[in-house]
């Protein structure tokens, strides 16, 4: 069980790291494309489509779904790690 727990922890940490990189790339595209200093994504659908395209998504709705998925994964991982 200890080995399994360590592997599960490693898997969760890997997922958190990958998700961090995803979010950081989105933040950098947002800041560079729109010359922004904000970490918040624009609400405007045209601007959101531009970021979605830069990130390799067909449109901002698919992109937004991915953002929600990654956020849910992070919450789940934190709960597993912290036992909340």
């Amino acid at each position: 069980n200890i080995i399994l727990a360590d592997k599960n922890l490693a898997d969760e940490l890997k997922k958190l790291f990958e998700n961090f990189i995803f979010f950081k790339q989105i933040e950098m595209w947002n800041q560079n494309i729109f010359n922004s200093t904000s970490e918040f994504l624009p609400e405007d659908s045209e601007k959101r489509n531009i970021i979605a395209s830069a990130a390799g998504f067909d449109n901002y709705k698919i992109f937004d779904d991915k953002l929600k998925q990654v956020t849910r994964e992070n919450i789940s991982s934190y709960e597993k790690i912290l036992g909340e």
Side-chain angles (χ1 to χ4, degrees), residues 34 42-53 60:
F34 300 114
E43 294 291 327
D44 176 81
S45 61
E46 186 176 325
K47 288 183 177 181
R48 230 164 156 89
N49 263 328
I50 292 169
I51 293 173
S53 178
Y60 80 91

Side-chain angles (χ1 to χ4, degrees), residues 2-12:
I2 293 173
I3 293 171
L4 180 58
D6 287 346
K7 181 180 178 343
N8 289 340
L9 177 61
D11 290 344
E12 294 303 324

Side-chain angles (χ1 to χ4, degrees), residues 32-66:
N32 288 314
I33 291 170
F34 300 114
N35 197 27
S36 168
T37 57
S38 174
E39 69 274 7
F40 298 105
L41 293 174
E43 294 291 327
D44 176 81
S45 61
E46 186 176 325
K47 288 183 177 181
R48 230 164 156 89
N49 263 328
I50 292 169
I51 293 173
S53 178
F57 294 89
D58 291 335
N59 60 59
Y60 80 91
K61 291 182 181 183
I62 296 170
F63 172 68
D64 283 349
D65 287 344
K66 177 66 174 182

